[in-house]
């Protein structure tokens, strides 16, 4: 559960609506069916034109995943897993890893380890894993693209709503008392367009892109780990290499030198 | 038939025009010949300046293809085809595929398989297929570029129309009753510019780009499949490799392990 | 002669000025010397600051080339030329091509063929030709960049003109009858900025970029053709490879299989 | 301590607020709680939606590091260090560097030298160091991205505040004396949005990006130095190569030719 | 001396100020201290936040270099130099070039030739020269980036000034005779922001980028020339290769075939 998405949304709404109330605005003025129809249906429709049908159908799922957060990858644990496997592989051979395959929860890692045990050629193994990672990225980008397009188009659809509203106002220009409220109504469409784009679609698209990048980072760690074990690197080198993927605070090699030294001797 | 394009277009029109009617607007006010001439002819003309003649002539065809959807590539079926061919090639040799070439419907795949049977060098085969894929991409991007340019230019041509309209209004500033309707007319040009750009040209350009990317994805699958068969990979590896291109739900290797195991034994 | 540029320009002017006349506007109001000085001299001056002197001097030539169209490359004929040369080279050796060099009209192709006959090392030949192609691209991009910069800057210079105009108007705010026409004059600068940018500079820059890409496509075809002959590919492979550069409708290998088969036998 | 950040901030505030005071403005009018809530909470909330939680928590630290400046890398000293090590390594062997490892303050350099002494394969050493440098870059980009997103979104949130404010004004349009101050209040939100984006978030994001690029430049120097020593380059070549990373004024090889000549003889 | 920068600046000022005078504007209205403080100090301060201190200190030097033009590289002469050196090197050996090193004025070329004579490994020589060229590019981009950032930020700081000015106006809305001049003053800030960005900072940044690209083109010519001589290419090939970097009109090989033929014989 990615609490930042929810907290951020609440914070933004409290700030914007709260600030409006504080300056004497009436939030009820923000509820306006014609504006809603123009901006929400309009930008949804335009986005639907731009995207394959299955991505539009997957939109609710995409939104939920933006709130639930990135698929959990415990990177330090993955590093430990690869160091342990490297150790075992050097002592007992790659086939000895067969017993541990079922204990690997992450599907991508399991697939890679299985292929490695089956004696797949290193270059081929890298290719297979990279095609898979690339495909995952491709799908994740698709979801982000829907929201990005909607975020790019919503403010201009809001302007469209404002123009339509102002056109209505202009025909009553000789009746000054009708102008003010009319313009207010016209502004609601602008509000909807700017609000949905900048508080919903664009931040959510960015979150999905950030999650995707984070996942790719983890997948690269797995691929490098597989390559390292397969080329027979000693466990200390595997750790040294893979910990490059971790934040400095997550690295173990500095703290516990004992294990590193032990691995060194074993080599 | 890509139903999303049509449904999206209807949704956007219902939302925008419907919302306008709901707030008391008169859709007839949106019909305005001078605004139409300025925005549509103006942006069409500017786009024609920017593009080679044959792309402009191909514009109606481009628009139709955006509504009809991407050239159908049944990717799971393509994977099955390559696994079957890999199996046959390992048992009976590459020449045995000669009999099946005519059954391949997709022209790109057929060309590749024919070249492979003819004993084309792998590096050369990859080159020929990539040049072809690149050329397909180049043409598809051309079509999308026309719409993208039109989408980029239409709103500013709309502004041009508004400026011209307002200049007319300004010369009558001492006759207040003429101002309102005059401004309304001037706004129609803005409406045309923003509407055509954001509801038609840009979403359609994006759809074409998405279709193009999808097709390139399929062409890459075919190229990797050819390379894999030619390098003598066993059918299980071919499936493992190519299924990386599929969405997880479309993959067979997890569901039916029997076939995979059978292929493994055969190897 | 690239008729699209001229037709597009006429279409855009007819649409924009025609639409203005139709709604009762007076095109004479668009002739305004101060606005012209501010926008045209201003954006020309700013562009001159940004560019090397020789590019500014070459600007009229650049504009003419945007109207005259891309340097003609008859790509199907180039493919035929390379297939014929490949055939001759395989029968009689590379030196036999010496007799045909002078018949090649395109300078780039002729240089490449001459170097090939001289026995230049393939890697070196590719390098020389790529440096030349890159240099051609570099010069073409320079021309497009001048127009692109001018197109990017013209609307804001137009805004500058409007601001200056409105500042004049504001000092007469207590004389309402002077406001309207004053604002109209101020708007002319906006019109000049938006019109020149979106109907002239940006579309013409795009045309030059499109022409440049088209030419690079042709140069790549020539380079691949040279490489293919030099590596001794048989004529059928040369055709197969180079036709990847052509649009499907221009390809010969599907239509006349007889020649392809003959070439195959010859191989 | 990067004094430019602080001096720049003071300069900008003095210019903007001072200019306002000079033209008779009242800076107190810029203090407005509703506007502050809308813009600051609104853009902070939207940014929080877009980012992983740990980056938001790290935001204060990120801001401080933008003021304190880039992690100090004394590049000429690093070059000297590598030249000295190259000299020692050629005379006494790589293992002789063991004694100096602890004197290296920079953690990245120390890790690389230690791995080199341990006899890590050059290709592997490069890989490990590049993964580490890439990871550092990845984290630094994360911090810059938070500020960049906030800078991109703040002005539109300011517009949102202005729209909300103007909607309030419009409902009082028949009471002219309430319009002016109301609009002023509405403008404060625009001010907050444009000011925070252009004077705080975007410049600070750029500073972080510049610091990151500078650090990557230093890390590349270290990697090239390690590679150069490991491949047994003589000290003069090491200096020649690494001084390419320095600004011309920092280079030693031109000034003191004596040392260079000495190193040459030693080689 | 790059006369285009100065002429462009004069042209832009004559156009903009002249146009303003022609339509009855008073250029004195453009002199406004508060507006100047807000826009110039504001955008300078914001830029200083975004950049390392040494780049800000180098700003005057950067501006001067934009007016003085690119560091002169006489590319045809450089080609001649390399052809002559290639000829000498083939006749008398690389060491014979020692006598000519001091006659080479360009420091980059001299460094490269010296390293070549010293017998530096070709791959290493390329690396050293590319690191140096990359470093030169890095520094030049730094200077351009300062101006680019300032150009990006100045118009919005101008808007900030306008907002502050209009806020002052709004508090006097019931005194109509104060509105007009007040708005005029507020507009000056917009003028400063748009003018400095589009007539000064952005064009000058572009000029620096163009100069940098031109210099990189020359440095690449030198690197290719060194590689070509070191790999023992005959002088005709060296000319053929390096003239690819020249504009067609600067090439010698077409005009004077005599020398080319002579070189051919010598080979």
């Amino acid at each position: 559960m990615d609490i930042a998405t929810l907290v951020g949304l609440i914070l933004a709404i409290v700030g914007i609506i709260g600030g409006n109330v504080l300056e004497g605005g009436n939030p009820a003025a923000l509820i306006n069916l014609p504006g809603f129809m123009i901006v929400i249906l309009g930008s949804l429709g335009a986005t639907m034109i731009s995207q394959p049908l299955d991505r539009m159908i997957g939109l609710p799922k995409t939104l939920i995943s933006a709130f639930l957060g990135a698929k959990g990858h415990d990177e330090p644990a993955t590093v430990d897993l690869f160091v342990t496997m490297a150790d075992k592989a050097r002592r007992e051979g790659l086939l000895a890893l067969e017993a541990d395959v079922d204990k690997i929860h992450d599907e991508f890692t399991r697939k890679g380890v299985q292929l490695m045990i089956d004696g797949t050629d290193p270059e081929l193994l890298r290719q297979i894993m990279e095609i898979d990672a690339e495909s995952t990225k491709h799908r994740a980008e698709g979801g982000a693209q829907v929201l990005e397009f909607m975020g790019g188009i919503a403010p201009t659809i809001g302007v469209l709503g404002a123009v339509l509203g102002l056109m209505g106002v202009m025909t009553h220009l000789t009746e000054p008392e009708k102008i003010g409220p009319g313009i207010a109504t016209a502004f609601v469409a602008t509000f909807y367009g700017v609000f949905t784009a900048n508080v919903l679609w664009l931040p959510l698209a960015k979150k999905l892109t950030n999650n995707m990048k984070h996942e790719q980072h983890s997948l690269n760690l797995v691929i490098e780990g597989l390559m390292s074990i397969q080329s027979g690197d000693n466990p200390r080198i595997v750790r040294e290499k893979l910990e490059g993927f971790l934040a400095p605070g997550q690295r173990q090699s500095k703290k516990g030198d004992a294990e590193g030294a032990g691995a060194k001797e074993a080599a």
Side-chain angles (χ1 to χ4, degrees), chain A:
Chain A
M1 176 71 201
D2 179 1
I3 202 168
T5 312
L6 195 65
V7 171
L9 185 56
I10 292 170
L11 195 66
I13 290 177
V14 165
I16 293 168
I17 305 299
N20 187 26
V21 170
L22 211 69
E23 63 176 347
N26 179 5
L30 295 175
I31 297 168
N32 181 291
L33 187 61
F36 185 86
M37 273 183 70
I38 292 174
V39 176
I40 304 300
L41 291 191
S43 53
L44 202 67
T47 304
M48 189 175 273
I49 295 175
S50 79
Q51 301 290 329
L53 188 57
D54 53 341
R55 276 197 204 149
M56 293 310 292
I57 292 171
L59 185 55
K61 215 170 140 189
T62 302
L63 287 171
I64 288 168
S65 87
F67 277 91
L68 293 187
K71 215 168 131 190
H73 288 278
D74 182 352
E75 295 184 340
T78 308
V79 172
D80 289 346
L81 173 68
F82 275 99
V83 172
T84 311
M85 287 198 296
D87 196 38
K88 193 166 186 182
R90 276 171 73 94
R91 286 177 208 263
E92 312 169 31
L94 272 173
L95 285 178
L97 299 176
E98 185 84 62
D100 304 323
V101 171
D102 290 344
K103 293 181 210 152
I104 303 173
H105 296 300
D106 179 57
E107 199 183 314
F108 185 79
T109 313
R110 196 167 59 236
K111 175 180 171 181
V113 174
Q114 184 63 57
L115 281 166
M116 186 172 68
I117 296 169
D118 293 354
T120 312
D121 177 74
E123 202 39 53
L124 185 60
L125 174 55
R126 179 185 276 278
Q127 262 184 37
I128 291 177
M129 299 312 281
E130 283 182 349
I131 285 174
D132 204 331
E134 185 62 35
S135 231
T136 304
K137 188 182 166 190
H138 186 73
R139 279 189 303 276
E141 283 176 343
Q145 200 200 89
V146 175
L147 292 174
E148 226 169 85
F149 192 88
M150 207 136 84
I153 226 143
T156 46
I157 303 284
V159 166
L160 217 57
V163 167
L164 288 175
L166 291 176
M167 281 172 67
V169 169
M170 288 301 154
T171 55
H172 304 290
L173 213 57
T174 44
E175 307 154 79
E177 75 285 357
K178 282 192 183 169
I179 296 178
I183 291 180
T185 308
F187 274 160
V188 175
T190 309
F191 177 82
Y192 284 165
V194 176
F195 182 86
T196 55
N198 290 286
V199 179
L200 295 175
W201 316 138
L202 293 177
L204 288 169
K206 195 79 181 177
K207 173 77 89 188
L208 289 172
T209 306
N210 275 322
N211 288 354
M212 179 271 282
K213 277 188 193 161
H214 187 69
E215 188 170 14
Q216 288 292 311
H217 193 252
S218 295
L219 299 186
N220 281 335
L221 192 164
V222 169
I223 293 176
E224 289 306 325
L226 290 168
M227 291 298 114
S228 197
I229 292 181
Q230 208 169 23
S231 68
D233 288 343
N234 80 51
R236 195 177 56 88
I237 287 290
V238 172
R239 178 171 296 281
E240 200 81 61
K241 206 170 179 175
L242 299 188
E243 290 203 334
F245 284 97
L246 304 184
Q250 296 176 313
R251 295 181 192 175
Q252 216 174 86
S253 51
K254 293 179 224 160
K255 305 177 207 161
D257 265 356
E259 186 198 10
K264 201 176 172 182
E265 275 164 34

